């Protein structure tokens, strides 16, 4: 039947699916996923009250991707699902508290098509992120903020930072701003939650900028090689250590 044909197509198209999956492949999977994943209706809490609507569980999403041949393991299906959520803004956790997880007690909902930002242009590009990160650090208001009856100095509020990204046109929607902020947080280590318990969220959660010397940047290997003169560093290392001699790790 049509489901079997679709599964066979997906198996052929996604047999080598990994982090380098082409956006065209991912878009096809998104279309089938949105039409086929098991949905249920339930009321969920959004911070100011309860709201009803169709949702799906994280485990159902992972099972769908595996059963339809998109992934040969639940771990790979989880990575693909998260990639769909990022690259195509397809869905998010009902309270925006979690990434996709393979759990029955976490519920997700599809984002309205008119609110989806498909693969934000260069939002994950290393050089562009540096520019956004610099503007983010310069523009976000830092001060003393209250959280659970305590005052935290030198902090900023997540929801205010989201507003800044949207108002400065670095993000088109608040959901897009959350994704961009999370990229700045993960790839450049620019800021962190005050207790290191939360990712970047559009909520009254407090974050602090990390001192420059403590920041750890991660990027694609090609960008990493462009940013750091590896060959030059290696040659200098050989000259200093003198190849062939025994040296300790601390000396290196």
């Amino acid at each position: 039947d049509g489901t079997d044909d679709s599964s066979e197509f997906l198996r052929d198209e996604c047999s080598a699916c990994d982090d380098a999956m082409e956006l065209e492949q991912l878009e096809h999977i998104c279309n089938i996923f949105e039409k086929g994943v098991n949905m249920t209706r339930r009321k969920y809490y959004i911070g100011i009250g309860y709201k009803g609507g169709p949702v799906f569980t994280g485990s159902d999403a992972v099972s769908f991707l595996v059963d339809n041949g998109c992934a040969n393991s639940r771990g790979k299906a989880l990575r693909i699902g998260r990639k769909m959520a990022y690259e195509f803004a397809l869905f998010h956790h009902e309270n925006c508290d979690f990434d996709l997880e393979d759990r029955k007690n976490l519920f997700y909902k599809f984002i309205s098509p008119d609110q989806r930002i498909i693969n934000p242009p260069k939002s994950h590009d290393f050089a562009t992120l540096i520019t956004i990160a610099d503007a983010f650090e310069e523009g976000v208001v830092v001060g003393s903020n209250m959280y659970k009856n305590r005052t935290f100095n030198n902090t900023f509020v997540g929801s205010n930072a989201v507003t800044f990204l949207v108002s400065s046109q670095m993000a088109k929607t608040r959901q897009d701003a959350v994704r961009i902020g999370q990229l700045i947080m993960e790839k450049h280590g620019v800021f962190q939650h005050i207790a290191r318990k939360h990712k970047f969220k559009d909520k009254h959660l407090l974050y602090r900028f990390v001192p420059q010397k403590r920041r750890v940047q991660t990027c694609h290997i090609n960008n990493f090689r462009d940013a750091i003169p590896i060959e030059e560093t290696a040659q200098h290392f050989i000259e200093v250590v003198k190849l062939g001699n025994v040296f300790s790790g601390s000396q290196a």
Side-chain angles (χ1 to χ4, degrees), residues 83-144:
K83 195 173 180 68
M84 289 194 299
Y86 170 70
E87 296 287 357
F88 285 86
L90 186 65
F91 61 86
H92 59 68
H93 178 256
E94 58 185 3
N95 290 332
C96 299
D97 285 339
F98 297 93
D99 289 334
L100 180 64
E101 298 289 351
D102 188 2
R103 291 167 56 180
K104 294 181 179 179
N105 63 339
L106 292 181
F107 296 85
Y108 302 82
K109 63 178 182 176
F110 288 109
I111 296 171
S112 174
D114 62 344
Q115 292 294 312
R116 297 176 188 174
I117 306 297
I118 299 177
N119 191 31
K122 297 185 178 180
S123 68
H124 58 285
D125 175 78
F126 185 66
T128 304
L129 271 180
I130 290 177
T131 302
I132 294 176
D134 289 343
F136 181 88
E137 187 170 8
E138 184 175 332
V140 170
V141 176
V142 174
S144 298

Short mmCIF file of all heavy atoms in Angstrom, two decimals, residues 83-144:
data_model
loop_
_atom_site.label_atom_id
_atom_site.label_comp_id
_atom_site.label_asym_id
_atom_site.label_seq_id
_atom_site.Cartn_x
_atom_site.Cartn_y
_atom_site.Cartn_z
N LYS A 83 16.79 17.55 14.33
CA LYS A 83 17.20 18.32 13.16
C LYS A 83 15.98 18.89 12.44
O LYS A 83 16.00 20.03 11.97
CB LYS A 83 18.01 17.43 12.21
CG LYS A 83 18.80 18.19 11.15
CD LYS A 83 19.70 17.23 10.39
CE LYS A 83 20.50 17.95 9.31
NZ LYS A 83 21.49 18.88 9.87
N MET A 84 14.89 18.11 12.40
CA MET A 84 13.66 18.63 11.80
C MET A 84 13.14 19.82 12.59
O MET A 84 12.67 20.81 12.01
CB MET A 84 12.59 17.53 11.76
CG MET A 84 12.83 16.43 10.77
SD MET A 84 11.35 15.39 10.51
CE MET A 84 11.08 14.74 12.15
N ALA A 85 13.21 19.71 13.91
CA ALA A 85 12.72 20.80 14.76
C ALA A 85 13.55 22.05 14.57
O ALA A 85 13.01 23.17 14.58
CB ALA A 85 12.75 20.35 16.22
N TYR A 86 14.86 21.89 14.35
CA TYR A 86 15.71 23.07 14.18
C TYR A 86 15.66 23.61 12.75
O TYR A 86 15.35 24.78 12.53
CB TYR A 86 17.16 22.76 14.53
CG TYR A 86 18.07 23.89 14.11
CD1 TYR A 86 18.02 25.12 14.77
CD2 TYR A 86 18.89 23.77 13.00
CE1 TYR A 86 18.79 26.18 14.36
CE2 TYR A 86 19.66 24.84 12.58
CZ TYR A 86 19.61 26.03 13.26
OH TYR A 86 20.37 27.09 12.83
N GLU A 87 15.96 22.76 11.78
CA GLU A 87 16.10 23.24 10.40
C GLU A 87 14.79 23.75 9.81
O GLU A 87 14.78 24.67 9.00
CB GLU A 87 16.67 22.13 9.51
CG GLU A 87 18.08 21.68 9.87
CD GLU A 87 19.13 22.69 9.49
OE1 GLU A 87 18.77 23.73 8.90
OE2 GLU A 87 20.31 22.44 9.79
N PHE A 88 13.67 23.13 10.21
CA PHE A 88 12.39 23.51 9.62
C PHE A 88 11.39 24.06 10.62
O PHE A 88 10.25 24.32 10.26
CB PHE A 88 11.78 22.29 8.90
CG PHE A 88 12.46 21.98 7.60
CD1 PHE A 88 13.58 21.17 7.57
CD2 PHE A 88 12.00 22.51 6.41
CE1 PHE A 88 14.22 20.90 6.38
CE2 PHE A 88 12.63 22.24 5.21
CZ PHE A 88 13.74 21.44 5.19
N ALA A 89 11.83 24.27 11.86
CA ALA A 89 10.93 24.79 12.90
C ALA A 89 9.60 24.05 12.86
O ALA A 89 8.53 24.66 12.91
CB ALA A 89 10.72 26.29 12.74
N LEU A 90 9.67 22.73 12.76
CA LEU A 90 8.46 21.93 12.53
C LEU A 90 7.62 21.79 13.79
O LEU A 90 6.38 21.83 13.72
CB LEU A 90 8.87 20.54 12.02
CG LEU A 90 7.72 19.62 11.59
CD1 LEU A 90 7.00 20.21 10.38
CD2 LEU A 90 8.25 18.22 11.26
N PHE A 91 8.26 21.62 14.93
CA PHE A 91 7.51 21.40 16.17
C PHE A 91 8.36 21.82 17.35
O PHE A 91 9.55 22.09 17.23
CB PHE A 91 7.12 19.92 16.31
CG PHE A 91 8.29 18.98 16.37
CD1 PHE A 91 8.93 18.70 17.58
CD2 PHE A 91 8.77 18.36 15.22
CE1 PHE A 91 10.02 17.84 17.63
CE2 PHE A 91 9.85 17.49 15.27
CZ PHE A 91 10.48 17.23 16.48
N HIS A 92 7.72 21.89 18.51
CA HIS A 92 8.46 22.16 19.74
C HIS A 92 7.71 21.54 20.91
O HIS A 92 6.54 21.14 20.80
CB HIS A 92 8.66 23.66 19.97
CG HIS A 92 7.39 24.46 20.06
ND1 HIS A 92 6.50 24.36 21.10
CD2 HIS A 92 6.87 25.40 19.23
CE1 HIS A 92 5.49 25.19 20.93
NE2 HIS A 92 5.68 25.83 19.79
N HIS A 93 8.40 21.44 22.04
CA HIS A 93 7.77 20.93 23.25
C HIS A 93 6.59 21.83 23.62
O HIS A 93 6.62 23.03 23.37
CB HIS A 93 8.81 20.89 24.38
CG HIS A 93 8.24 20.42 25.69
ND1 HIS A 93 7.96 21.29 26.71
CD2 HIS A 93 7.90 19.17 26.12
CE1 HIS A 93 7.48 20.60 27.74
NE2 HIS A 93 7.42 19.32 27.41
N GLU A 94 5.55 21.26 24.21
CA GLU A 94 4.33 22.01 24.49
C GLU A 94 4.59 23.26 25.32
O GLU A 94 3.89 24.26 25.18
CB GLU A 94 3.30 21.12 25.19
CG GLU A 94 3.80 20.51 26.49
CD GLU A 94 2.80 19.53 27.08
OE1 GLU A 94 1.76 19.30 26.45
OE2 GLU A 94 3.06 19.00 28.17
N ASN A 95 5.60 23.22 26.20
CA ASN A 95 5.96 24.40 26.99
C ASN A 95 7.32 24.96 26.60
O ASN A 95 7.86 25.81 27.31
CB ASN A 95 5.98 24.06 28.48
CG ASN A 95 4.59 23.81 29.03
OD1 ASN A 95 3.62 24.36 28.53
ND2 ASN A 95 4.49 22.97 30.04
N CYS A 96 7.88 24.46 25.50
CA CYS A 96 9.20 24.89 25.03
C CYS A 96 10.29 24.62 26.07
O CYS A 96 11.30 25.34 26.12
CB CYS A 96 9.19 26.37 24.65
SG CYS A 96 8.05 26.77 23.32
N ASP A 97 10.11 23.60 26.89
CA ASP A 97 11.07 23.30 27.94
C ASP A 97 12.11 22.26 27.55
O ASP A 97 13.17 22.16 28.16
CB ASP A 97 10.35 22.79 29.20
CG ASP A 97 9.67 23.90 29.96
OD1 ASP A 97 10.06 25.07 29.77
OD2 ASP A 97 8.75 23.61 30.74
N PHE A 98 11.82 21.43 26.54
CA PHE A 98 12.70 20.32 26.21
C PHE A 98 12.93 20.24 24.70
O PHE A 98 12.05 20.58 23.91
CB PHE A 98 12.10 18.98 26.67
CG PHE A 98 11.92 18.85 28.15
CD1 PHE A 98 10.72 19.20 28.75
CD2 PHE A 98 12.96 18.39 28.95
CE1 PHE A 98 10.54 19.08 30.12
CE2 PHE A 98 12.79 18.27 30.31
CZ PHE A 98 11.58 18.61 30.90
N ASP A 99 14.13 19.77 24.32
CA ASP A 99 14.33 19.31 22.95
C ASP A 99 13.58 17.99 22.81
O ASP A 99 13.06 17.45 23.79
CB ASP A 99 15.82 19.09 22.69
CG ASP A 99 16.59 20.39 22.60
OD1 ASP A 99 15.98 21.42 22.26
OD2 ASP A 99 17.81 20.37 22.89
N LEU A 100 13.55 17.45 21.61
CA LEU A 100 12.90 16.16 21.42
C LEU A 100 13.63 15.10 22.23
O LEU A 100 14.85 14.97 22.15
CB LEU A 100 12.91 15.77 19.94
CG LEU A 100 12.27 14.41 19.62
CD1 LEU A 100 10.77 14.44 19.95
CD2 LEU A 100 12.48 14.05 18.15
N GLU A 101 12.88 14.36 23.04
CA GLU A 101 13.42 13.27 23.83
C GLU A 101 12.58 12.03 23.58
O GLU A 101 11.37 12.11 23.35
CB GLU A 101 13.40 13.61 25.33
CG GLU A 101 14.25 14.81 25.72
CD GLU A 101 15.75 14.53 25.65
OE1 GLU A 101 16.12 13.35 25.46
OE2 GLU A 101 16.53 15.48 25.76
N ASP A 102 13.21 10.86 23.67
CA ASP A 102 12.52 9.59 23.45
C ASP A 102 11.79 9.17 24.73
O ASP A 102 12.15 8.20 25.40
CB ASP A 102 13.54 8.53 23.03
CG ASP A 102 12.87 7.22 22.59
OD1 ASP A 102 11.63 7.16 22.56
OD2 ASP A 102 13.61 6.27 22.27
N ARG A 103 10.76 9.93 25.06
CA ARG A 103 10.02 9.69 26.31
C ARG A 103 8.52 9.79 26.07
O ARG A 103 8.04 10.60 25.28
CB ARG A 103 10.44 10.71 27.38
CG ARG A 103 11.86 10.50 27.87
CD ARG A 103 12.36 11.69 28.67
NE ARG A 103 11.50 12.02 29.81
CZ ARG A 103 11.77 13.04 30.65
NH1 ARG A 103 12.86 13.79 30.47
NH2 ARG A 103 10.94 13.29 31.65
N LYS A 104 7.77 8.94 26.77
CA LYS A 104 6.33 8.91 26.62
C LYS A 104 5.62 10.04 27.37
O LYS A 104 4.47 10.33 27.08
CB LYS A 104 5.78 7.56 27.11
CG LYS A 104 6.22 6.37 26.27
CD LYS A 104 5.62 5.07 26.81
CE LYS A 104 6.04 3.89 25.96
NZ LYS A 104 5.47 2.62 26.49
N ASN A 105 6.31 10.62 28.34
CA ASN A 105 5.66 11.63 29.16
C ASN A 105 6.00 13.06 28.74
O ASN A 105 5.69 14.01 29.44
CB ASN A 105 6.03 11.44 30.62
CG ASN A 105 7.52 11.60 30.88
OD1 ASN A 105 8.32 11.47 29.96
ND2 ASN A 105 7.89 11.89 32.12
N LEU A 106 6.63 13.22 27.58
CA LEU A 106 6.90 14.54 27.03
C LEU A 106 6.09 14.71 25.76
O LEU A 106 6.11 13.85 24.88
CB LEU A 106 8.39 14.73 26.74
CG LEU A 106 9.32 14.78 27.95
CD1 LEU A 106 10.76 15.00 27.52
CD2 LEU A 106 8.89 15.88 28.93
N PHE A 107 5.39 15.85 25.67
CA PHE A 107 4.48 16.07 24.56
C PHE A 107 4.94 17.26 23.71
O PHE A 107 5.43 18.26 24.23
CB PHE A 107 3.06 16.32 25.07
CG PHE A 107 2.46 15.14 25.78
CD1 PHE A 107 2.71 14.92 27.13
CD2 PHE A 107 1.66 14.24 25.09
CE1 PHE A 107 2.18 13.83 27.78
CE2 PHE A 107 1.12 13.14 25.74
CZ PHE A 107 1.38 12.93 27.09
N TYR A 108 4.73 17.13 22.40
CA TYR A 108 5.18 18.12 21.44
C TYR A 108 4.03 18.49 20.51
O TYR A 108 3.11 17.69 20.29
CB TYR A 108 6.36 17.58 20.63
CG TYR A 108 7.53 17.17 21.50
CD1 TYR A 108 7.54 15.93 22.12
CD2 TYR A 108 8.58 18.05 21.73
CE1 TYR A 108 8.60 15.56 22.96
CE2 TYR A 108 9.64 17.68 22.56
CZ TYR A 108 9.64 16.44 23.17
OH TYR A 108 10.67 16.09 24.01
N LYS A 109 4.09 19.70 19.97
CA LYS A 109 3.06 20.13 19.04
C LYS A 109 3.71 20.77 17.81
O LYS A 109 4.80 21.32 17.90
CB LYS A 109 2.11 21.11 19.71
CG LYS A 109 2.74 22.42 20.16
CD LYS A 109 1.70 23.34 20.76
CE LYS A 109 2.30 24.68 21.17
NZ LYS A 109 1.28 25.62 21.67
N PHE A 110 3.00 20.67 16.70
CA PHE A 110 3.50 21.27 15.47
C PHE A 110 3.35 22.79 15.53
O PHE A 110 2.37 23.32 16.07
CB PHE A 110 2.75 20.73 14.25
CG PHE A 110 3.11 19.31 13.92
CD1 PHE A 110 2.22 18.27 14.14
CD2 PHE A 110 4.36 19.02 13.41
CE1 PHE A 110 2.56 16.97 13.84
CE2 PHE A 110 4.72 17.71 13.10
CZ PHE A 110 3.81 16.68 13.32
N ILE A 111 4.32 23.48 14.97
CA ILE A 111 4.27 24.93 14.87
C ILE A 111 3.43 25.30 13.66
O ILE A 111 3.53 24.66 12.60
CB ILE A 111 5.69 25.51 14.74
CG1 ILE A 111 6.50 25.21 16.02
CG2 ILE A 111 5.66 27.01 14.48
CD1 ILE A 111 7.97 25.55 15.90
N SER A 112 2.62 26.32 13.80
CA SER A 112 1.78 26.77 12.68
C SER A 112 2.67 27.09 11.47
O SER A 112 3.71 27.74 11.62
CB SER A 112 0.99 28.01 13.10
OG SER A 112 0.29 28.54 12.00
N PRO A 113 2.29 26.64 10.28
CA PRO A 113 3.13 26.88 9.09
C PRO A 113 3.55 28.32 8.87
O PRO A 113 4.67 28.59 8.43
CB PRO A 113 2.24 26.37 7.94
CG PRO A 113 1.40 25.32 8.57
CD PRO A 113 1.10 25.83 9.96
N ASP A 114 2.68 29.27 9.21
CA ASP A 114 3.03 30.67 8.99
C ASP A 114 4.03 31.20 10.02
O ASP A 114 4.54 32.31 9.89
CB ASP A 114 1.78 31.56 8.98
CG ASP A 114 1.03 31.52 10.31
OD1 ASP A 114 1.29 30.61 11.12
OD2 ASP A 114 0.19 32.40 10.54
N GLN A 115 4.34 30.37 11.03
CA GLN A 115 5.31 30.77 12.04
C GLN A 115 6.64 30.05 11.87
O GLN A 115 7.56 30.25 12.66
CB GLN A 115 4.76 30.47 13.44
CG GLN A 115 3.57 31.33 13.83
CD GLN A 115 3.96 32.79 13.97
OE1 GLN A 115 4.94 33.12 14.61
NE2 GLN A 115 3.18 33.67 13.37
N ARG A 116 6.74 29.22 10.85
CA ARG A 116 7.96 28.43 10.67
C ARG A 116 9.00 29.21 9.87
O ARG A 116 8.69 29.81 8.84
CB ARG A 116 7.65 27.12 9.95
CG ARG A 116 6.73 26.21 10.73
CD ARG A 116 6.37 24.96 9.95
NE ARG A 116 5.33 24.21 10.65
CZ ARG A 116 4.72 23.13 10.15
NH1 ARG A 116 5.07 22.69 8.94
NH2 ARG A 116 3.79 22.51 10.85
N ILE A 117 10.22 29.19 10.37
CA ILE A 117 11.35 29.79 9.65
C ILE A 117 12.21 28.64 9.17
O ILE A 117 12.90 27.98 9.95
CB ILE A 117 12.17 30.71 10.56
CG1 ILE A 117 11.26 31.76 11.19
CG2 ILE A 117 13.29 31.38 9.78
CD1 ILE A 117 10.58 32.69 10.22
N ILE A 118 12.15 28.35 7.87
CA ILE A 118 12.86 27.20 7.33
C ILE A 118 14.32 27.50 7.14
O ILE A 118 14.70 28.40 6.38
CB ILE A 118 12.25 26.75 5.98
CG1 ILE A 118 10.78 26.34 6.19
CG2 ILE A 118 13.03 25.61 5.37
CD1 ILE A 118 10.07 25.95 4.93
N ASN A 119 15.14 26.74 7.87
CA ASN A 119 16.60 26.86 7.75
C ASN A 119 17.03 28.32 7.73
O ASN A 119 17.47 28.83 6.70
CB ASN A 119 17.09 26.16 6.47
CG ASN A 119 18.60 26.05 6.46
OD1 ASN A 119 19.23 25.94 7.50
ND2 ASN A 119 19.18 26.07 5.27
N PRO A 120 16.93 29.05 8.85
CA PRO A 120 17.27 30.48 8.88
C PRO A 120 18.60 30.74 8.18
O PRO A 120 19.60 30.12 8.50
CB PRO A 120 17.39 30.76 10.38
CG PRO A 120 16.53 29.73 11.03
CD PRO A 120 16.69 28.50 10.18
N PRO A 121 18.64 31.66 7.19
CA PRO A 121 19.85 31.89 6.41
C PRO A 121 21.06 32.18 7.28
O PRO A 121 21.08 33.15 8.03
CB PRO A 121 19.48 33.10 5.54
CG PRO A 121 17.99 33.07 5.48
CD PRO A 121 17.54 32.54 6.81
N LYS A 122 22.03 31.31 7.19
CA LYS A 122 23.32 31.48 7.84
C LYS A 122 23.23 31.61 9.37
O LYS A 122 24.19 32.00 10.00
CB LYS A 122 24.04 32.72 7.29
CG LYS A 122 24.37 32.61 5.81
CD LYS A 122 25.18 33.82 5.37
CE LYS A 122 25.57 33.71 3.89
NZ LYS A 122 26.37 34.87 3.45
N SER A 123 22.08 31.24 9.95
CA SER A 123 21.96 31.40 11.40
C SER A 123 22.89 30.44 12.12
O SER A 123 23.20 30.64 13.28
CB SER A 123 20.52 31.14 11.84
OG SER A 123 20.15 29.79 11.66
N HIS A 124 23.33 29.36 11.41
CA HIS A 124 24.25 28.44 12.05
C HIS A 124 25.66 28.58 11.47
O HIS A 124 26.53 27.79 11.77
CB HIS A 124 23.75 27.00 11.88
CG HIS A 124 23.57 26.60 10.44
ND1 HIS A 124 22.50 27.04 9.69
CD2 HIS A 124 24.30 25.82 9.63
CE1 HIS A 124 22.59 26.52 8.48
NE2 HIS A 124 23.67 25.79 8.41
N ASP A 125 25.87 29.60 10.60
CA ASP A 125 27.19 29.84 10.04
C ASP A 125 28.09 30.45 11.11
O ASP A 125 27.71 31.34 11.85
CB ASP A 125 27.05 30.80 8.85
CG ASP A 125 28.41 31.18 8.29
OD1 ASP A 125 28.99 30.37 7.56
OD2 ASP A 125 28.88 32.29 8.61
N PHE A 126 29.34 29.92 11.18
CA PHE A 126 30.25 30.30 12.26
C PHE A 126 30.50 31.80 12.30
O PHE A 126 30.36 32.44 13.34
CB PHE A 126 31.57 29.54 12.08
CG PHE A 126 32.55 29.75 13.20
CD1 PHE A 126 32.28 29.29 14.47
CD2 PHE A 126 33.74 30.41 12.97
CE1 PHE A 126 33.17 29.48 15.50
CE2 PHE A 126 34.65 30.61 14.01
CZ PHE A 126 34.37 30.13 15.26
N ALA A 127 30.86 32.39 11.15
CA ALA A 127 31.18 33.82 11.12
C ALA A 127 29.97 34.68 11.45
O ALA A 127 30.06 35.67 12.17
CB ALA A 127 31.75 34.20 9.75
N THR A 128 28.80 34.28 10.90
CA THR A 128 27.59 35.05 11.16
C THR A 128 27.21 34.98 12.63
O THR A 128 26.78 35.98 13.21
CB THR A 128 26.43 34.52 10.29
OG1 THR A 128 26.81 34.56 8.92
CG2 THR A 128 25.18 35.36 10.49
N LEU A 129 27.37 33.81 13.22
CA LEU A 129 27.04 33.67 14.64
C LEU A 129 27.94 34.55 15.51
O LEU A 129 27.49 35.06 16.53
CB LEU A 129 27.18 32.20 15.07
CG LEU A 129 25.93 31.34 14.92
CD1 LEU A 129 26.22 29.92 15.40
CD2 LEU A 129 24.76 31.92 15.69
N ILE A 130 29.19 34.70 15.12
CA ILE A 130 30.09 35.57 15.88
C ILE A 130 29.55 37.00 15.87
O ILE A 130 29.51 37.68 16.91
CB ILE A 130 31.51 35.54 15.29
CG1 ILE A 130 32.17 34.19 15.56
CG2 ILE A 130 32.37 36.65 15.89
CD1 ILE A 130 33.55 34.05 14.95
N THR A 131 29.09 37.45 14.69
CA THR A 131 28.54 38.79 14.57
C THR A 131 27.30 38.95 15.44
O THR A 131 27.13 39.95 16.15
CB THR A 131 28.19 39.10 13.10
OG1 THR A 131 29.37 38.96 12.31
CG2 THR A 131 27.64 40.50 12.95
N ILE A 132 26.40 37.95 15.36
CA ILE A 132 25.18 38.00 16.15
C ILE A 132 25.51 37.95 17.64
O ILE A 132 24.92 38.68 18.45
CB ILE A 132 24.24 36.84 15.77
CG1 ILE A 132 23.75 37.00 14.34
CG2 ILE A 132 23.05 36.77 16.73
CD1 ILE A 132 22.91 35.85 13.84
N ALA A 133 26.47 37.09 18.00
CA ALA A 133 26.85 36.96 19.41
C ALA A 133 27.40 38.28 19.96
O ALA A 133 27.08 38.68 21.09
CB ALA A 133 27.89 35.85 19.57
N ASP A 134 28.21 38.96 19.14
CA ASP A 134 28.75 40.26 19.57
C ASP A 134 27.64 41.28 19.79
O ASP A 134 27.62 42.01 20.78
CB ASP A 134 29.75 40.78 18.54
CG ASP A 134 31.04 39.98 18.53
OD1 ASP A 134 31.30 39.25 19.51
OD2 ASP A 134 31.80 40.08 17.54
N ALA A 135 26.70 41.33 18.83
CA ALA A 135 25.59 42.28 18.93
C ALA A 135 24.69 41.92 20.11
O ALA A 135 24.17 42.79 20.81
CB ALA A 135 24.79 42.28 17.64
N PHE A 136 24.51 40.63 20.33
CA PHE A 136 23.70 40.14 21.43
C PHE A 136 24.29 40.58 22.77
O PHE A 136 23.59 41.12 23.63
CB PHE A 136 23.63 38.61 21.36
CG PHE A 136 22.80 37.96 22.44
CD1 PHE A 136 21.44 37.77 22.26
CD2 PHE A 136 23.38 37.52 23.61
CE1 PHE A 136 20.67 37.16 23.24
CE2 PHE A 136 22.62 36.91 24.60
CZ PHE A 136 21.26 36.72 24.41
N GLU A 137 25.58 40.39 22.91
CA GLU A 137 26.24 40.75 24.17
C GLU A 137 26.22 42.26 24.40
O GLU A 137 26.11 42.73 25.54
CB GLU A 137 27.68 40.24 24.17
CG GLU A 137 28.39 40.42 25.50
CD GLU A 137 29.71 39.69 25.57
OE1 GLU A 137 30.16 39.15 24.52
OE2 GLU A 137 30.31 39.66 26.66
N GLU A 138 26.33 43.00 23.33
CA GLU A 138 26.36 44.46 23.45
C GLU A 138 24.97 45.04 23.71
O GLU A 138 24.82 46.05 24.40
CB GLU A 138 26.93 45.06 22.17
CG GLU A 138 27.10 46.58 22.23
CD GLU A 138 27.79 47.13 20.99
OE1 GLU A 138 28.58 46.39 20.37
OE2 GLU A 138 27.53 48.28 20.64
N GLY A 139 23.93 44.38 23.16
CA GLY A 139 22.60 44.97 23.21
C GLY A 139 21.68 44.49 24.32
O GLY A 139 20.76 45.22 24.73
N VAL A 140 21.90 43.27 24.82
CA VAL A 140 21.01 42.74 25.87
C VAL A 140 21.26 43.47 27.19
O VAL A 140 22.41 43.68 27.60
CB VAL A 140 21.25 41.23 26.05
CG1 VAL A 140 20.52 40.72 27.29
CG2 VAL A 140 20.76 40.48 24.82
N VAL A 141 20.19 43.87 27.84
CA VAL A 141 20.29 44.63 29.09
C VAL A 141 20.65 43.70 30.24
O VAL A 141 19.96 42.71 30.50
CB VAL A 141 18.97 45.35 29.40
CG1 VAL A 141 19.06 46.06 30.75
CG2 VAL A 141 18.63 46.34 28.29
N VAL A 142 21.74 44.03 30.92
CA VAL A 142 22.21 43.26 32.07
C VAL A 142 22.02 44.09 33.33
O VAL A 142 22.26 45.30 33.34
CB VAL A 142 23.70 42.89 31.90
CG1 VAL A 142 24.24 42.21 33.16
CG2 VAL A 142 23.88 42.00 30.69
N GLY A 143 21.59 43.46 34.41
CA GLY A 143 21.40 44.19 35.65
C GLY A 143 21.06 43.25 36.79
O GLY A 143 21.38 42.06 36.74
N SER A 144 20.41 43.76 37.80
CA SER A 144 19.97 42.96 38.95
C SER A 144 18.55 42.48 38.70
O SER A 144 17.65 43.29 38.43
CB SER A 144 20.03 43.78 40.23
OG SER A 144 21.36 44.19 40.50
#
